[in-house]
Amino acid sequence: MFKKYFTICFLLFVSCASLAVEPQNLETAKQAVMKYYDSGAYDYDVQQAIDWASDYLHLRLAQNQEHQKLAIVLDIDETALKSYDLMKDSDFSSTPDVIKTKLNKSHIPALAPVLKLYNYALQNNVAVFFVTGRSENLQTITENVLNNAGYKNWTGLYLRMPKDIGRNTIEYKTSVRKKITTMGYDIVLSIGDQYNDLAGGYADRTIKLPNPFYIVP
Ligand SMILES: [Mg+2]
């Protein structure tokens, strides 16, 4: 009897020990993302981050007695623009076709708190530069989608040029911020939804917006 019990326990141990830890189920992950969005938590987290950014910009403007050229840098997708409805419609797929369709849309709504910060910056003579991983062949469609979302009169729009293809995001975006700095601007805020939007320096403060939807390598 004891031998039989021991054998069963041993076999159970061997079968359990050979199993890997199962990762989170894909459907469960999608449901969690939709719950995060539908509950209002996503909008709340964006608002909190932009409130902090607005307070910091307000402070820097108050301190700017010497009238330095101040600037902010904004990423575009999931920073200036909010494409949640498009992502949900495509079941959060990131195939090349789905991404291409999204990037060629001329109507994507703004992330409202970011547009408000943008207008506050412009009203206070703070330059705004968009720095995006989109490639330069999307320049016209990108200008259109920004305009249609309510963004007008930006100071600069930087897209990936052929020379930037193959550079990683940190390298590419840092080189653009460095260029803006050498133009005489003090970049007080750099805002993006990916950590690689923000790493690399050439900004006084960085603001990470939430993005549980995808990762840009
Ligand atoms: Mg982005």
Side-chain angles (χ1 to χ4, degrees), residues 17-38:
S18 63
L19 288 176
V21 177
E22 194 172 332
Q24 185 176 13
N25 184 279
L26 200 52
E27 286 306 314
T28 310
K30 286 179 190 175
Q31 285 164 16
V33 163
M34 288 188 280
K35 186 177 175 187
Y36 172 65
Y37 184 86
D38 292 340

Side-chain angles (χ1 to χ4, degrees), residues 52 56 60 187-191 198 202-207:
W52 194 96
Y56 182 69
R60 291 298 304 271
I187 300 173
V188 294
L189 287 166
S190 175
I191 304 176
L198 307 172
Y202 298 99
D204 300 334
R205 293 289 185 276
T206 58
I207 303 290

Side-chain angles (χ1 to χ4, degrees), residues 76-77 81 102-110 134 138-151 154:
I76 293 183
D77 293 289
L81 304 177
K102 171 184 152 182
L103 294 180
N104 281 283
K105 293 278 182 192
S106 55
H107 288 85
I108 300 176
R134 293 173 171 225
L138 292 168
Q139 176 150 358
T140 303
I141 195 77
T142 301
E143 288 170 352
N144 289 341
V145 75
L146 287 171
N147 269 307
N148 291 335
Y151 295 94
W154 55 80

Side-chain angles (χ1 to χ4, degrees), residues 31-171:
Q31 285 164 16
V33 163
M34 288 188 280
K35 186 177 175 187
Y36 172 65
Y37 184 86
D38 292 340
S39 69
Y42 171 73
D43 285 332
Y44 177 83
D45 288 347
V46 170
Q47 187 68 60
Q48 290 290 104
I50 297 302
D51 282 351
W52 194 96
S54 300
D55 288 348
Y56 182 69
L57 182 57
H58 185 74
L59 175 71
R60 291 298 304 271
L61 282 163
Q63 291 174 339
N64 192 26
Q65 310 294 342
E66 295 174 9
H67 302 289
Q68 273 185 296
K69 289 163 67 178
L70 304 184
I72 65 175
V73 165
L74 296 178
D75 171 58
I76 293 183
D77 293 289
E78 268 51 69
T79 297
L81 304 177
K82 176 165 106 170
S83 52
Y84 179 81
D85 288 341
L86 289 171
M87 292 186 283
K88 190 180 175 191
D89 286 349
S90 63
D91 196 29
F92 303 99
S93 167
S94 292
T95 64
D97 279 350
V98 167
I99 294 170
K100 188 176 173 187
T101 301
K102 171 184 152 182
L103 294 180
N104 281 283
K105 293 278 182 192
S106 55
H107 288 85
I108 300 176
L111 253 180
V114 178
L115 179 57
K116 191 174 174 188
L117 174 67
Y118 176 92
N119 286 325
Y120 174 73
L122 262 55
Q123 285 156 13
N124 287 280
N125 298 315
V126 175
V128 183
F129 295 89
F130 289 109
V131 182
T132 174
R134 293 173 171 225
S135 61
E136 49 98 27
N137 64 328
L138 292 168
Q139 176 150 358
T140 303
I141 195 77
T142 301
E143 288 170 352
N144 289 341
V145 75
L146 287 171
N147 269 307
N148 291 335
Y151 295 94
K152 318 279 183 189
N153 303 317
W154 55 80
T155 305
L157 166 61
Y158 290 92
L159 302 101
R160 271 185 195 267
M161 305 303 283
K163 68 179 171 61
D164 300 313
I165 306 298
R167 296 173 94 182
N168 69 45
T169 302
I170 293 176
E171 201 180 342

